[in-house]
């Protein structure tokens, strides 16, 4: 990258989505990189120009959103035309935007997520307070337990159990008979429905939560990784009541252990509404939204997710993961 390079996007490329932009939004600084085609010259035969913009992540006196401001400056450098701060950004020259962000990380650390409720099988209301009994510092006399993320717990009077559970990954087929309430779960395991919820009572419980002002709910029931019908019905009721975000553990993280599954569902319900508000507000800064450009966000696992699939749970380590991926690519 040559800081003296002032070549612009060729006129033949204007309006043809040729500028690729990457953004790392940190707690202090936001770094933006733009890559776009240019005409080679005798002094510089390269056919691409790379521009870098670094700015404060929070500077309300000059701009409301740092990634948007960085993209605006890159478009000015690429086209040589002014892009006013108070006007939606022209997307006709943008090919893609890739972003790593610490929005979810900061919300979790500072406990500034969305107020949420946890819906769980009756008798397990203190599941996440008890946890899995892990004691990494068993002789520490001053253990500080982190507070749970939810504000209220709804206990649903339901119960299912596994039938003839065995460690054999290829269990022998089992016959079911009318009246024994045995079904085959997603995992191939046989599940007996011991008690179906009273759906009118569930609706009343969720209505009380809704009237308390909570709009986000995490649903995690016993054995829902293989038998998800009860979770799905509760989720349907929550949507009908008007909850703006509903997380089902059976969809988000269909794993066999309920404690990590409940942690994942609660974290998603706590963080996703804030992530969605940020993404929706970000999209409104562009004249065509994200309808004609590709926008991906870095996930905690180092992979990219389309903007419509980006969620709070997978955003917790978005920024740090982007740094690790960038470091590995540039250093080895």
């Amino acid at each position: 990258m040559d800081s003296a390079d002032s070549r612009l996007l060729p006129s033949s490329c204007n309006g043809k989505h040729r500028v690729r932009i990457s953004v790392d939004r940190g707690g202090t600084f936001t770094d933006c990189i733009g890559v776009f085609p240019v005409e080679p010259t005798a002094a510089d035969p390269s056919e691409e120009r790379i521009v870098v913009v670094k700015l404060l992540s929070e500077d309300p006196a000059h701009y409301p959103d740092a990634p948007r401001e960085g993209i605006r400056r890159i478009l000015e450098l690429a086209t040589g035309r002014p892009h006013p701060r108070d006007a939606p950004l022209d997307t006709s020259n943008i090919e893609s935007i890739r972003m790593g962000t610490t929005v979810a990380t900061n919300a979790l650390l500072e406990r500034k997520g969305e107020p949420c409720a946890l819906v769980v099988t009756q008798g397990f209301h203190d599941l996440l307070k008890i946890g899995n009994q892990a004691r990494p510092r068993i002789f520490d006399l001053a253990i500080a337990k982190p507070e749970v993320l939810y504000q209220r717990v709804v206990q649903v009077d339901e119960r299912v159990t596994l039938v003839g559970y065995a460690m054999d990954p290829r269990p022998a087929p089992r016959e079911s008979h009318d009246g024994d309430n045995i079904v085959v779960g997603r995992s191939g395991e046989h599940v007996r429905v011991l008690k179906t919820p009273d759906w009118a009572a569930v609706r009343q419980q969720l209505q009380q939560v809704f009237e308390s002002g909570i709009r986000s709910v995490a649903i995690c029931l016993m054995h829902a990784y293989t038998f998800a019908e009860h979770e799905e019905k509760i989720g349907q009721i929550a949507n009908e009541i008007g909850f703006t975000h509903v997380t089902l553990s059976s969809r988000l993280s269909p794993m066999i252990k309920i404690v990590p599954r409940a942690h994942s569902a609660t974290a998603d319900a706590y963080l996703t509404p804030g992530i969605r508000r940020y993404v929706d507000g970000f999209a409104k800064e562009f004249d065509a939204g994200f309808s004609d450009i590709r926008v991906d966000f870095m996930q905690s696992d180092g992979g990219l997710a389309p903007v419509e699939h980006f969620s709070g749970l997978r955003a917790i380590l978005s920024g740090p993961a982007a740094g690790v991926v960038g470091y590995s690519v540039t250093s080895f």
Side-chain angles (χ1 to χ4, degrees):
M1 180 183 64
D2 184 358
S3 59
D5 190 355
S6 59
R7 291 175 294 171
L8 302 176
L9 189 71
S11 57
S12 60
C13 296
N14 271 321
K16 296 184 178 179
H17 302 284
R18 299 299 300 275
V19 182
R20 304 191 306 275
I21 300 171
S22 300
V23 181
D24 178 21
R25 187 192 186 283
T28 305
F29 292 106
T30 293
D31 299 283
C32 306
I33 297 177
V35 181
F36 51 90
V38 292
E39 297 287 352
T41 64
D44 189 343
S46 63
E47 297 182 351
E48 280 189 338
R49 181 184 171 193
I50 302 174
V51 296
V52 176
V53 173
K54 189 180 188 75
L55 61 164
L56 290 171
S57 293
E58 297 290 341
D59 191 1
H62 295 93
Y63 45 80
D65 184 71
R68 189 263 188 199
E69 175 65 13
I71 294 170
R72 185 190 71 81
R73 296 183 188 183
I74 287 174
L75 292 176
E76 287 190 340
L77 292 171
T79 63
R81 301 193 307 270
H83 288 67
R85 283 197 177 100
D86 57 354
L89 293 177
D90 177 15
T91 60
S92 65
N93 285 308
I94 301 176
E95 176 182 337
S96 64
I97 298 173
R98 294 179 172 182
M99 185 185 300
T101 176
T102 58
V103 170
T105 313
N106 295 338
L108 183 62
L109 292 175
E110 299 170 7
R111 289 298 192 266
K112 293 182 178 179
E114 185 82 0
C116 64
L118 172 64
V119 179
V120 70
T121 301
Q122 184 167 316
F124 292 87
H125 62 282
D126 52 3
L127 176 73
L128 297 187
K129 291 185 178 180
I130 296 173
N132 57 13
Q133 295 293 299
R135 295 178 176 86
R137 300 191 303 276
I138 193 168
F139 296 110
D140 194 335
L141 299 179
I143 294 291
K145 292 181 62 177
E147 292 294 326
V148 294
L149 300 179
Y150 54 83
Q151 289 189 345
R152 294 186 61 167
V153 178
V154 174
Q155 298 187 72
V156 176
D157 191 9
E158 66 89 42
R159 189 68 181 196
V160 302
T161 186
L162 300 183
V163 179
Y165 175 76
M167 296 299 291
D168 187 354
R170 295 178 297 276
R174 173 181 295 272
E175 293 184 1
S176 60
H177 304 282
D178 293 340
D180 58 9
N181 290 327
I182 295 178
V183 297
V184 178
R186 295 174 177 174
S187 60
E189 297 165 289
H190 287 74
V191 178
R192 175 178 279 115
V193 181
L194 298 178
K195 189 166 189 178
T196 300
D198 180 342
W199 300 119
V202 170
R203 183 179 294 274
Q204 184 178 9
Q205 290 173 293
L206 290 176
Q207 186 67 45
Q208 291 173 354
V209 173
F210 185 82
E211 291 172 358
S212 73
I214 292 176
R215 295 293 181 268
S216 182
V217 61
I219 305 171
C220 184
L221 304 180
M222 288 290 292
H223 303 305
Y225 72 94
T226 187
F227 181 79
E229 281 81 353
H230 289 174
E231 277 198 2
E232 290 172 353
K233 178 63 176 179
I234 296 171
Q236 178 185 339
I237 293 173
N239 284 318
E240 291 171 357
I241 289 174
F243 285 92
T244 56
H245 181 79
V246 178
T247 296
L248 304 184
S249 73
S250 53
R251 294 182 185 175
L252 179 73
S253 181
M255 58 191 300
I256 194 170
K257 294 184 179 296
I258 189 173
V259 172
R261 184 155 49 86
H263 275 304
S264 296
T266 305
D268 189 78
Y270 185 71
L271 297 172
T272 296
I275 286 288
R276 297 315 311 174
R277 281 194 296 271
Y278 175 77
V279 169
D280 292 344
F282 185 55
K284 290 179 181 177
E285 300 293 338
F286 298 82
D287 60 0
F290 295 149
S291 60
D292 59 351
I293 58 176
R294 176 168 180 168
V295 180
D296 296 315
F297 279 82
M298 179 69 70
Q299 300 187 111
S300 299
D301 61 3
L304 291 167
V307 62
E308 61 270 16
H309 296 152
F310 191 51
S311 68
L313 175 65
R314 295 179 173 86
I316 294 175
L317 295 177
S318 169
V324 172
V325 171
Y327 180 80
S328 65
V329 170
T330 58
S331 300
F332 296 96

